[in-house]
Amino acid sequence: MSAADDRRRAVLRAIVADYIAQQEPVGSKALVERHKLGVSSATIRNDMSVLEQQGYISQTHTSSGRIPTQAGYRAFVDALHDDVKPLSVAERHAILDFLEHGVDLEDVLRRSVQLLAQLTNQAAVVQLPNLEISRVKHCEVVALTPTRLLLVVITDSGRVDQRNVELASPLADAHVPVLRDLLNDILVGRTMREATAGLSTLHARAPRELADAVSRCTAVLVDTLVDTTADRLLIAGAGNLTVHRLADLHSVIDALEQQVVVLKLLATAQDLERVSVRIGRENENEEFSQAAIVTTAYGSGDEALGGLGVVGPTYMDYPGTMQKVATVARYISRILQGE
């Protein structure tokens, strides 16, 4: 790689950084004044001409400065590597403190998406845990009245579901722990699919005095375990997009409201500790062809349980956004693992 190539990469980084900061075309004089590039304005202008020919920057009109193209942003992001600065100790402490006050996983995720939207000034999305790999940790049975039970199902991903069960006849207090043990014998340690299959066999094994309670609890649990909440999304900060110059703002906001579209976006976020950036036309969905999307995964151990990320303009602060998305995901994972 020649010295001229190295310098042009530095010029491109400077153009992208300045445009992200000001959203104004960047001229050679400004680059010389703001960045220590060690060459004259004439050399910078020549470098900018080469970068324009290569498709990394464009000129809105003859006398204007340059702005990055989508290819320019991609080259900028690909060159970041270790240049992404870590958050300060105070920032990391504030994030962790805010998330740790969540009462359950869904509350933690709700806090996470709100926090990401605030930190990045973009729209933030997070997917609730993938129930295909979640396992039941415990099922608690609480007698609210002699004919009404409360079932509390807790998974290893931190999900907590509560359901009321109305009984046809009163259930004796002594039978409540027996019912709980029967249910846990089927549920604990099994995935959602396995647990649902096991519940179908429970009625035949239940004592006669528990037949009604078992039947009704089983019906409620099956509905709980196979419902569509695994695909639910939490979205925050869509209003932030109104302050950015997105070519088709309404299409982007409409796409965010379509779960299928956003779930497809997050489907690629399966690698913990890896942040993915898609810029403009790299996004398969046409509505996001003028936007940038930064995603990663959160999980427990080595398993990804869901994706999260932000959607914003192509001139977003990539280093800062990538670091914030990665940090929030890392802290969600730590909370899941009880650290």
Side-chain angles (χ1 to χ4, degrees), residues 46 80 123 192 202 264:
N46 289 334
L80 284 175
M192 303 295 105
L202 185 57
K264 189 175 180 181

Side-chain angles (χ1 to χ4, degrees), residues 123-134:
V125 294
V126 65
Q127 177 188 13
L128 268 68
N130 180 354
L131 294 187
E132 290 298 316
I133 60 176
S134 296

Side-chain angles (χ1 to χ4, degrees), residues 11-52:
V11 170
L12 178 59
R13 286 196 300 271
I15 292 172
V16 174
D18 282 3
Y19 188 74
I20 286 172
Q22 301 181 14
Q23 287 93 65
E24 294 291 342
V26 182
S28 58
K29 182 179 179 182
L31 290 176
V32 171
E33 292 174 350
R34 294 174 188 154
H35 305 274
K36 297 178 180 180
L37 298 173
V39 292
S40 66
S41 292
T43 300
I44 297 299
R45 284 195 295 274
N46 289 334
D47 288 339
M48 292 170 77
S49 294
V50 173
L51 290 169
E52 188 172 359

Side-chain angles (χ1 to χ4, degrees), residues 29-101:
K29 182 179 179 182
L31 290 176
V32 171
E33 292 174 350
R34 294 174 188 154
H35 305 274
K36 297 178 180 180
L37 298 173
V39 292
S40 66
S41 292
T43 300
I44 297 299
R45 284 195 295 274
N46 289 334
D47 288 339
M48 292 170 77
S49 294
V50 173
L51 290 169
E52 188 172 359
Q53 293 170 9
Q54 294 173 337
Y56 294 121
I57 58 176
S58 64
Q59 193 172 26
T60 54
H61 54 81
T62 306
S63 60
S64 73
R66 269 59 165 198
I67 64 175
T69 64
Q70 292 184 3
Y73 287 122
R74 168 48 59 193
F76 175 80
V77 171
D78 288 345
L80 284 175
H81 298 303
D82 298 328
D83 293 337
V84 178
K85 295 182 180 179
L87 300 182
S88 68
V89 173
E91 288 174 319
R92 295 198 302 271
H93 177 76
I95 291 172
L96 184 58
D97 182 65
F98 181 72
L99 297 183
E100 283 185 327
H101 280 82

Side-chain angles (χ1 to χ4, degrees), residues 288-306:
F288 295 120
S289 63
Q290 298 300 316
I293 301 169
V294 179
T295 58
T296 191
Y298 68 88
S300 179
D302 296 327
E303 289 185 315
L305 295 174

Side-chain angles (χ1 to χ4, degrees), residues 129-151:
N130 180 354
L131 294 187
E132 290 298 316
I133 60 176
S134 296
R135 294 180 181 274
V136 177
K137 188 174 181 180
H138 182 68
C139 177
E140 187 56 59
V141 181
V142 180
L144 300 178
T145 71
T147 57
R148 177 180 294 176
L149 302 175
L150 174 67
L151 300 181

Side-chain angles (χ1 to χ4, degrees), residues 162 248 316 328:
Q162 301 184 33
D248 195 348
M316 71 166 59
V328 170

